[in-house]
Amino acid sequence: QYGGKITDNLDTRMFRTYTQQWLTTNTCAEGYTYNPATPIFPISKNFQYTVPVFAEHKEYKTFISGFPEVDSPEIFGLHPNADLTYRVKEVNALLATLGETQPKGGGGGGGVSREDVVFAKSTELMDRLPEDYIEDDYVAKINKMGGLSIPLNIFLYQEIQRLQKVIGKARFILKQLQLAIKGEVVMTDELQETLDSLFDARFPKLW
């Protein structure tokens, strides 16, 4: 995995590939470079990743100082998107950490509590949810369009089923969350996570 450690069989396989490809005497041969023959994106500063042979120590220092600030994943045999994926994960982890460090308890100043904010937000979300799709109704409409013998209609039928599951789940969780805020049902760990997510403007895991 790019930027990580050896944690599973896939990491082990990749590490072995690296060692077989690069930990050889060829890497020290004159003219050898780690740069791909035809990179997908240009390497920063057109830098050549080689093992130089200099006579003076300062020449090595000069060579090292010329390295790009960010190495292209292509140098490691990876697609450029590997760097994008890595950075997206890092940013998401940072934002998640910042969100988790926010105070979870209500303030003592008499302002609006977290529960009040989430209750109002859940009411707003339920008002914006579409009506439930009744299977008999949409099956009848699909039959008027040629029925399930048409591939696109099969696709439409399956997507409506999946969408209805999401709508039903979201509506049920929001109702349960409001009941839990009012103290009428137990505030489970899942509902607490949903409350925290809605307050932090994040997508609840239960959805």
Side-chain angles (χ1 to χ4, degrees):
Q1 63 186 42
Y2 182 61
K5 300 178 180 179
I6 297 177
T7 57
D8 56 30
N9 292 335
L10 290 177
D11 293 338
T12 302
R13 186 169 66 179
M14 186 179 70
F15 181 75
R16 287 177 177 171
T17 301
Y18 282 171
T19 56
Q20 291 171 1
Q21 179 71 25
W22 289 321
L23 296 185
T24 66
T25 56
N26 293 333
T27 57
C28 294
E30 185 177 357
Y32 183 88
T33 178
Y34 290 92
N35 296 53
T38 54
I40 299 174
F41 293 148
I43 305 299
S44 178
K45 303 178 183 178
N46 200 26
F47 187 82
Q48 292 296 314
Y49 290 80
T50 62
V51 180
V53 178
F54 298 127
E56 298 292 334
H57 179 260
K58 64 180 180 180
E59 294 179 291
Y60 284 101
K61 294 181 65 175
T62 301
F63 177 78
I64 293 172
S65 64
F67 270 76
E69 292 185 7
V70 178
D71 295 318
S72 169
E74 294 187 69
I75 300 301
F76 308 100
L78 300 176
H79 192 276
N81 284 347
D83 188 55
L84 175 62
T85 302
Y86 168 72
R87 293 180 183 280
V88 167
K89 288 182 177 180
E90 287 292 296
V91 170
N92 287 338
L94 173 62
L95 293 177
T97 301
L98 291 174
E100 290 171 358
T101 56
Q102 294 186 83
K104 296 296 189 291
V112 180
S113 67
R114 288 167 53 88
E115 288 74 15
D116 292 338
V117 172
V118 173
F119 193 96
K121 186 64 178 179
S122 60
T123 300
E124 176 190 346
L125 290 175
M126 282 195 291
D127 291 340
R128 294 170 60 183
L129 281 174
E131 295 294 328
D132 288 333
Y133 287 90
I134 308 301
E135 185 168 359
D136 291 340
D137 293 343
Y138 64 75
V139 168
K141 293 179 180 179
I142 290 176
N143 287 333
K144 291 181 180 179
M145 299 165 57
L148 296 178
S149 60
I150 300 176
L152 282 178
N153 286 351
I154 296 176
F155 173 77
L156 176 61
Y157 174 72
Q158 293 173 337
E159 289 302 302
I160 293 176
Q161 284 183 315
R162 295 187 180 99
L163 177 60
Q164 176 53 39
K165 287 182 179 180
V166 175
I167 294 173
K169 179 102 178 197
R171 198 189 313 277
F172 173 77
I173 294 299
L174 290 172
K175 288 181 179 178
Q176 290 297 110
L177 179 60
Q178 288 190 335
L179 291 175
I181 291 174
K182 291 190 292 185
E184 297 179 12
V185 299
V186 177
M187 178 68 77
T188 63
D189 292 339
E190 291 80 8
L191 291 176
Q192 183 63 52
E193 189 279 330
T194 302
L195 187 150
D196 293 337
S197 296
L198 291 179
F199 185 80
D200 296 336
R202 291 185 288 110
F203 193 78
K205 293 180 181 179
L206 282 176
W207 296 1

mmCIF file of all heavy atoms in Angstrom, residues 96-134:
data_model
loop_
_atom_site.group_PDB
_atom_site.id
_atom_site.type_symbol
_atom_site.label_atom_id
_atom_site.label_comp_id
_atom_site.label_asym_id
_atom_site.label_seq_id
_atom_site.Cartn_x
_atom_site.Cartn_y
_atom_site.Cartn_z
ATOM 1 N N ALA A 96 -11.939 13.862 10.369
ATOM 2 C CA ALA A 96 -12.618 13.009 11.345
ATOM 3 C C ALA A 96 -12.058 13.240 12.742
ATOM 4 O O ALA A 96 -12.804 13.309 13.730
ATOM 5 C CB ALA A 96 -12.476 11.544 10.949
ATOM 6 N N THR A 97 -10.739 13.386 12.831
ATOM 7 C CA THR A 97 -10.108 13.627 14.127
ATOM 8 C C THR A 97 -10.538 14.977 14.695
ATOM 9 O O THR A 97 -10.843 15.091 15.890
ATOM 10 C CB THR A 97 -8.578 13.590 13.996
ATOM 11 O OG1 THR A 97 -8.175 12.305 13.490
ATOM 12 C CG2 THR A 97 -7.903 13.824 15.337
ATOM 13 N N LEU A 98 -10.580 15.991 13.840
ATOM 14 C CA LEU A 98 -11.022 17.311 14.304
ATOM 15 C C LEU A 98 -12.462 17.272 14.793
ATOM 16 O O LEU A 98 -12.818 17.898 15.793
ATOM 17 C CB LEU A 98 -10.875 18.337 13.177
ATOM 18 C CG LEU A 98 -9.443 18.698 12.762
ATOM 19 C CD1 LEU A 98 -9.460 19.619 11.545
ATOM 20 C CD2 LEU A 98 -8.708 19.370 13.915
ATOM 21 N N GLY A 99 -13.303 16.519 14.068
ATOM 22 C CA GLY A 99 -14.696 16.414 14.478
ATOM 23 C C GLY A 99 -14.869 15.691 15.795
ATOM 24 O O GLY A 99 -15.713 16.057 16.624
ATOM 25 N N GLU A 100 -14.047 14.655 16.007
ATOM 26 C CA GLU A 100 -14.167 13.874 17.239
ATOM 27 C C GLU A 100 -13.667 14.637 18.464
ATOM 28 O O GLU A 100 -14.021 14.295 19.593
ATOM 29 C CB GLU A 100 -13.386 12.566 17.093
ATOM 30 C CG GLU A 100 -14.035 11.602 16.106
ATOM 31 C CD GLU A 100 -13.151 10.417 15.796
ATOM 32 O OE1 GLU A 100 -12.019 10.374 16.332
ATOM 33 O OE2 GLU A 100 -13.572 9.540 15.015
ATOM 34 N N THR A 101 -12.835 15.646 18.243
ATOM 35 C CA THR A 101 -12.307 16.406 19.381
ATOM 36 C C THR A 101 -13.230 17.545 19.802
ATOM 37 O O THR A 101 -12.948 18.222 20.798
ATOM 38 C CB THR A 101 -10.927 16.995 19.034
ATOM 39 O OG1 THR A 101 -11.031 17.811 17.847
ATOM 40 C CG2 THR A 101 -9.907 15.896 18.788
ATOM 41 N N GLN A 102 -14.317 17.748 19.068
ATOM 42 C CA GLN A 102 -15.255 18.796 19.458
ATOM 43 C C GLN A 102 -15.992 18.385 20.735
ATOM 44 O O GLN A 102 -16.236 17.194 20.966
ATOM 45 C CB GLN A 102 -16.280 19.046 18.351
ATOM 46 C CG GLN A 102 -15.681 19.619 17.082
ATOM 47 C CD GLN A 102 -16.775 19.986 16.097
ATOM 48 O OE1 GLN A 102 -17.366 21.049 16.172
ATOM 49 N NE2 GLN A 102 -17.049 19.072 15.176
ATOM 50 N N PRO A 103 -16.377 19.359 21.565
ATOM 51 C CA PRO A 103 -17.131 19.033 22.790
ATOM 52 C C PRO A 103 -18.440 18.345 22.454
ATOM 53 O O PRO A 103 -19.150 18.739 21.533
ATOM 54 C CB PRO A 103 -17.371 20.404 23.430
ATOM 55 C CG PRO A 103 -16.354 21.310 22.821
ATOM 56 C CD PRO A 103 -16.100 20.791 21.441
ATOM 57 N N LYS A 104 -18.742 17.266 23.174
ATOM 58 C CA LYS A 104 -19.973 16.514 22.920
ATOM 59 C C LYS A 104 -21.095 16.899 23.872
ATOM 60 O O LYS A 104 -22.253 16.651 23.602
ATOM 61 C CB LYS A 104 -19.698 15.009 23.060
ATOM 62 C CG LYS A 104 -18.727 14.457 22.037
ATOM 63 C CD LYS A 104 -19.284 14.563 20.634
ATOM 64 C CE LYS A 104 -18.425 13.822 19.620
ATOM 65 N NZ LYS A 104 -17.132 14.454 19.401
ATOM 66 N N GLY A 105 -20.773 17.484 25.010
ATOM 67 C CA GLY A 105 -21.801 17.839 25.992
ATOM 68 C C GLY A 105 -22.431 19.187 25.707
ATOM 69 O O GLY A 105 -21.874 20.016 24.977
ATOM 70 N N GLY A 106 -23.607 19.402 26.251
ATOM 71 C CA GLY A 106 -24.280 20.677 26.067
ATOM 72 C C GLY A 106 -23.664 21.751 26.944
ATOM 73 O O GLY A 106 -23.128 21.483 28.014
ATOM 74 N N GLY A 107 -23.714 22.973 26.494
ATOM 75 C CA GLY A 107 -23.161 24.074 27.268
ATOM 76 C C GLY A 107 -24.080 24.478 28.402
ATOM 77 O O GLY A 107 -25.259 24.147 28.439
ATOM 78 N N GLY A 108 -23.539 25.219 29.349
ATOM 79 C CA GLY A 108 -24.342 25.650 30.497
ATOM 80 C C GLY A 108 -24.843 27.064 30.376
ATOM 81 O O GLY A 108 -25.338 27.629 31.344
ATOM 82 N N GLY A 109 -24.713 27.643 29.192
ATOM 83 C CA GLY A 109 -25.093 29.039 29.029
ATOM 84 C C GLY A 109 -26.528 29.247 28.631
ATOM 85 O O GLY A 109 -26.935 30.373 28.344
ATOM 86 N N GLY A 110 -27.316 28.166 28.585
ATOM 87 C CA GLY A 110 -28.721 28.331 28.235
ATOM 88 C C GLY A 110 -28.983 28.406 26.754
ATOM 89 O O GLY A 110 -30.108 28.713 26.339
ATOM 90 N N GLY A 111 -27.971 28.098 25.904
ATOM 91 C CA GLY A 111 -28.170 28.125 24.465
ATOM 92 C C GLY A 111 -28.815 26.847 23.974
ATOM 93 O O GLY A 111 -29.250 25.986 24.738
ATOM 94 N N VAL A 112 -28.886 26.726 22.663
ATOM 95 C CA VAL A 112 -29.472 25.536 22.048
ATOM 96 C C VAL A 112 -28.518 24.361 22.222
ATOM 97 O O VAL A 112 -27.326 24.463 21.935
ATOM 98 C CB VAL A 112 -29.747 25.790 20.553
ATOM 99 C CG1 VAL A 112 -30.351 24.563 19.907
ATOM 100 C CG2 VAL A 112 -30.679 26.985 20.381
ATOM 101 N N SER A 113 -29.032 23.242 22.669
ATOM 102 C CA SER A 113 -28.199 22.059 22.900
ATOM 103 C C SER A 113 -27.971 21.299 21.598
ATOM 104 O O SER A 113 -28.659 21.532 20.595
ATOM 105 C CB SER A 113 -28.862 21.136 23.925
ATOM 106 O OG SER A 113 -30.059 20.584 23.386
ATOM 107 N N ARG A 114 -27.029 20.359 21.640
ATOM 108 C CA ARG A 114 -26.777 19.499 20.479
ATOM 109 C C ARG A 114 -28.031 18.721 20.099
ATOM 110 O O ARG A 114 -28.361 18.583 18.918
ATOM 111 C CB ARG A 114 -25.657 18.498 20.804
ATOM 112 C CG ARG A 114 -24.268 19.090 20.888
ATOM 113 C CD ARG A 114 -23.298 18.105 21.511
ATOM 114 N NE ARG A 114 -23.307 16.810 20.839
ATOM 115 C CZ ARG A 114 -22.545 16.506 19.776
ATOM 116 N NH1 ARG A 114 -21.747 17.416 19.269
ATOM 117 N NH2 ARG A 114 -22.597 15.311 19.230
ATOM 118 N N GLU A 115 -28.731 18.218 21.127
ATOM 119 C CA GLU A 115 -29.933 17.431 20.869
ATOM 120 C C GLU A 115 -31.013 18.262 20.172
ATOM 121 O O GLU A 115 -31.700 17.781 19.262
ATOM 122 C CB GLU A 115 -30.473 16.853 22.184
ATOM 123 C CG GLU A 115 -29.642 15.733 22.771
ATOM 124 C CD GLU A 115 -28.342 16.231 23.406
ATOM 125 O OE1 GLU A 115 -28.223 17.466 23.637
ATOM 126 O OE2 GLU A 115 -27.455 15.401 23.679
ATOM 127 N N ASP A 116 -31.156 19.533 20.585
ATOM 128 C CA ASP A 116 -32.151 20.405 19.953
ATOM 129 C C ASP A 116 -31.806 20.655 18.491
ATOM 130 O O ASP A 116 -32.678 20.656 17.616
ATOM 131 C CB ASP A 116 -32.246 21.732 20.700
ATOM 132 C CG ASP A 116 -32.829 21.577 22.095
ATOM 133 O OD1 ASP A 116 -33.533 20.575 22.316
ATOM 134 O OD2 ASP A 116 -32.550 22.435 22.952
ATOM 135 N N VAL A 117 -30.509 20.858 18.233
ATOM 136 C CA VAL A 117 -30.069 21.101 16.855
ATOM 137 C C VAL A 117 -30.331 19.881 15.987
ATOM 138 O O VAL A 117 -30.860 19.986 14.873
ATOM 139 C CB VAL A 117 -28.569 21.462 16.837
ATOM 140 C CG1 VAL A 117 -28.054 21.528 15.395
ATOM 141 C CG2 VAL A 117 -28.325 22.786 17.538
ATOM 142 N N VAL A 118 -29.984 18.703 16.498
ATOM 143 C CA VAL A 118 -30.165 17.470 15.727
ATOM 144 C C VAL A 118 -31.642 17.151 15.550
ATOM 145 O O VAL A 118 -32.063 16.669 14.496
ATOM 146 C CB VAL A 118 -29.420 16.306 16.414
ATOM 147 C CG1 VAL A 118 -29.742 14.992 15.726
ATOM 148 C CG2 VAL A 118 -27.919 16.562 16.387
ATOM 149 N N PHE A 119 -32.452 17.409 16.576
ATOM 150 C CA PHE A 119 -33.894 17.160 16.463
ATOM 151 C C PHE A 119 -34.482 17.999 15.332
ATOM 152 O O PHE A 119 -35.268 17.503 14.516
ATOM 153 C CB PHE A 119 -34.581 17.476 17.783
ATOM 154 C CG PHE A 119 -35.997 16.966 17.882
ATOM 155 C CD1 PHE A 119 -36.263 15.756 18.492
ATOM 156 C CD2 PHE A 119 -37.051 17.698 17.363
ATOM 157 C CE1 PHE A 119 -37.558 15.268 18.575
ATOM 158 C CE2 PHE A 119 -38.355 17.232 17.433
ATOM 159 C CZ PHE A 119 -38.614 16.006 18.039
ATOM 160 N N ALA A 120 -34.109 19.273 15.308
ATOM 161 C CA ALA A 120 -34.610 20.150 14.241
ATOM 162 C C ALA A 120 -34.093 19.699 12.877
ATOM 163 O O ALA A 120 -34.830 19.724 11.879
ATOM 164 C CB ALA A 120 -34.192 21.590 14.529
ATOM 165 N N LYS A 121 -32.827 19.285 12.827
ATOM 166 C CA LYS A 121 -32.247 18.835 11.560
ATOM 167 C C LYS A 121 -32.917 17.563 11.075
ATOM 168 O O LYS A 121 -33.189 17.420 9.869
ATOM 169 C CB LYS A 121 -30.747 18.610 11.732
ATOM 170 C CG LYS A 121 -30.017 18.285 10.437
ATOM 171 C CD LYS A 121 -30.079 19.439 9.471
ATOM 172 C CE LYS A 121 -29.303 19.143 8.191
ATOM 173 N NZ LYS A 121 -29.391 20.256 7.231
ATOM 174 N N SER A 122 -33.193 16.647 11.979
ATOM 175 C CA SER A 122 -33.846 15.403 11.578
ATOM 176 C C SER A 122 -35.262 15.664 11.071
ATOM 177 O O SER A 122 -35.728 15.010 10.134
ATOM 178 C CB SER A 122 -33.871 14.420 12.754
ATOM 179 O OG SER A 122 -34.577 14.959 13.850
ATOM 180 N N THR A 123 -35.944 16.620 11.680
ATOM 181 C CA THR A 123 -37.279 16.992 11.197
ATOM 182 C C THR A 123 -37.197 17.553 9.786
ATOM 183 O O THR A 123 -38.006 17.219 8.910
ATOM 184 C CB THR A 123 -37.920 18.028 12.136
ATOM 185 O OG1 THR A 123 -38.030 17.479 13.453
ATOM 186 C CG2 THR A 123 -39.299 18.441 11.634
ATOM 187 N N GLU A 124 -36.208 18.400 9.562
ATOM 188 C CA GLU A 124 -36.004 18.973 8.226
ATOM 189 C C GLU A 124 -35.710 17.878 7.207
ATOM 190 O O GLU A 124 -36.249 17.890 6.090
ATOM 191 C CB GLU A 124 -34.858 19.976 8.273
ATOM 192 C CG GLU A 124 -34.503 20.571 6.909
ATOM 193 C CD GLU A 124 -33.213 21.367 6.937
ATOM 194 O OE1 GLU A 124 -32.725 21.686 8.046
ATOM 195 O OE2 GLU A 124 -32.681 21.654 5.843
ATOM 196 N N LEU A 125 -34.854 16.931 7.578
ATOM 197 C CA LEU A 125 -34.497 15.853 6.650
ATOM 198 C C LEU A 125 -35.698 14.976 6.326
ATOM 199 O O LEU A 125 -35.892 14.567 5.172
ATOM 200 C CB LEU A 125 -33.369 15.011 7.242
ATOM 201 C CG LEU A 125 -31.999 15.683 7.331
ATOM 202 C CD1 LEU A 125 -31.007 14.781 8.060
ATOM 203 C CD2 LEU A 125 -31.475 16.024 5.938
ATOM 204 N N MET A 126 -36.521 14.673 7.335
ATOM 205 C CA MET A 126 -37.704 13.850 7.077
ATOM 206 C C MET A 126 -38.697 14.562 6.168
ATOM 207 O O MET A 126 -39.359 13.930 5.344
ATOM 208 C CB MET A 126 -38.366 13.456 8.400
ATOM 209 C CG MET A 126 -37.646 12.331 9.120
ATOM 210 S SD MET A 126 -38.620 11.577 10.441
ATOM 211 C CE MET A 126 -38.664 12.932 11.625
ATOM 212 N N ASP A 127 -38.804 15.878 6.315
ATOM 213 C CA ASP A 127 -39.694 16.645 5.442
ATOM 214 C C ASP A 127 -39.201 16.621 3.996
ATOM 215 O O ASP A 127 -40.004 16.701 3.054
ATOM 216 C CB ASP A 127 -39.803 18.089 5.930
ATOM 217 C CG ASP A 127 -40.559 18.202 7.249
ATOM 218 O OD1 ASP A 127 -41.304 17.273 7.579
ATOM 219 O OD2 ASP A 127 -40.387 19.226 7.949
ATOM 220 N N ARG A 128 -37.893 16.505 3.820
ATOM 221 C CA ARG A 128 -37.317 16.524 2.483
ATOM 222 C C ARG A 128 -37.261 15.142 1.845
ATOM 223 O O ARG A 128 -37.033 15.027 0.639
ATOM 224 C CB ARG A 128 -35.911 17.118 2.550
ATOM 225 C CG ARG A 128 -35.901 18.595 2.935
ATOM 226 C CD ARG A 128 -34.499 19.097 3.227
ATOM 227 N NE ARG A 128 -33.612 18.954 2.098
ATOM 228 C CZ ARG A 128 -32.323 19.264 2.111
ATOM 229 N NH1 ARG A 128 -31.785 19.743 3.225
ATOM 230 N NH2 ARG A 128 -31.571 19.116 1.040
ATOM 231 N N LEU A 129 -37.473 14.100 2.644
ATOM 232 C CA LEU A 129 -37.452 12.755 2.074
ATOM 233 C C LEU A 129 -38.653 12.544 1.148
ATOM 234 O O LEU A 129 -39.765 12.978 1.457
ATOM 235 C CB LEU A 129 -37.498 11.700 3.194
ATOM 236 C CG LEU A 129 -36.197 11.406 3.938
ATOM 237 C CD1 LEU A 129 -36.469 10.446 5.090
ATOM 238 C CD2 LEU A 129 -35.155 10.826 2.989
ATOM 239 N N PRO A 130 -38.451 11.883 0.028
ATOM 240 C CA PRO A 130 -39.587 11.603 -0.855
ATOM 241 C C PRO A 130 -40.515 10.561 -0.244
ATOM 242 O O PRO A 130 -40.151 9.854 0.701
ATOM 243 C CB PRO A 130 -38.909 11.062 -2.125
ATOM 244 C CG PRO A 130 -37.614 10.495 -1.658
ATOM 245 C CD PRO A 130 -37.178 11.367 -0.507
ATOM 246 N N GLU A 131 -41.704 10.477 -0.777
ATOM 247 C CA GLU A 131 -42.646 9.457 -0.313
ATOM 248 C C GLU A 131 -42.103 8.072 -0.637
ATOM 249 O O GLU A 131 -41.326 7.885 -1.574
ATOM 250 C CB GLU A 131 -44.000 9.664 -0.986
ATOM 251 C CG GLU A 131 -44.694 10.971 -0.619
ATOM 252 C CD GLU A 131 -45.085 11.010 0.857
ATOM 253 O OE1 GLU A 131 -45.396 9.930 1.401
ATOM 254 O OE2 GLU A 131 -45.083 12.111 1.443
ATOM 255 N N ASP A 132 -42.531 7.098 0.154
ATOM 256 C CA ASP A 132 -42.097 5.721 -0.093
ATOM 257 C C ASP A 132 -42.605 5.249 -1.454
ATOM 258 O O ASP A 132 -43.714 5.583 -1.881
ATOM 259 C CB ASP A 132 -42.640 4.787 0.991
ATOM 260 C CG ASP A 132 -41.936 4.994 2.329
ATOM 261 O OD1 ASP A 132 -40.770 5.436 2.320
ATOM 262 O OD2 ASP A 132 -42.548 4.723 3.372
ATOM 263 N N TYR A 133 -41.761 4.468 -2.129
ATOM 264 C CA TYR A 133 -42.154 3.863 -3.395
ATOM 265 C C TYR A 133 -42.937 2.585 -3.096
ATOM 266 O O TYR A 133 -42.399 1.645 -2.497
ATOM 267 C CB TYR A 133 -40.918 3.539 -4.239
ATOM 268 C CG TYR A 133 -40.259 4.752 -4.838
ATOM 269 C CD1 TYR A 133 -39.247 5.437 -4.152
ATOM 270 C CD2 TYR A 133 -40.642 5.236 -6.088
ATOM 271 C CE1 TYR A 133 -38.644 6.552 -4.694
ATOM 272 C CE2 TYR A 133 -40.037 6.358 -6.638
ATOM 273 C CZ TYR A 133 -39.039 7.014 -5.933
ATOM 274 O OH TYR A 133 -38.430 8.121 -6.476
ATOM 275 N N ILE A 134 -44.187 2.541 -3.505
ATOM 276 C CA ILE A 134 -45.026 1.361 -3.315
ATOM 277 C C ILE A 134 -44.766 0.399 -4.473
ATOM 278 O O ILE A 134 -44.917 0.772 -5.649
ATOM 279 C CB ILE A 134 -46.518 1.736 -3.251
ATOM 280 C CG1 ILE A 134 -46.734 2.858 -2.212
ATOM 281 C CG2 ILE A 134 -47.360 0.515 -2.936
ATOM 282 C CD1 ILE A 134 -46.288 2.503 -0.823
#
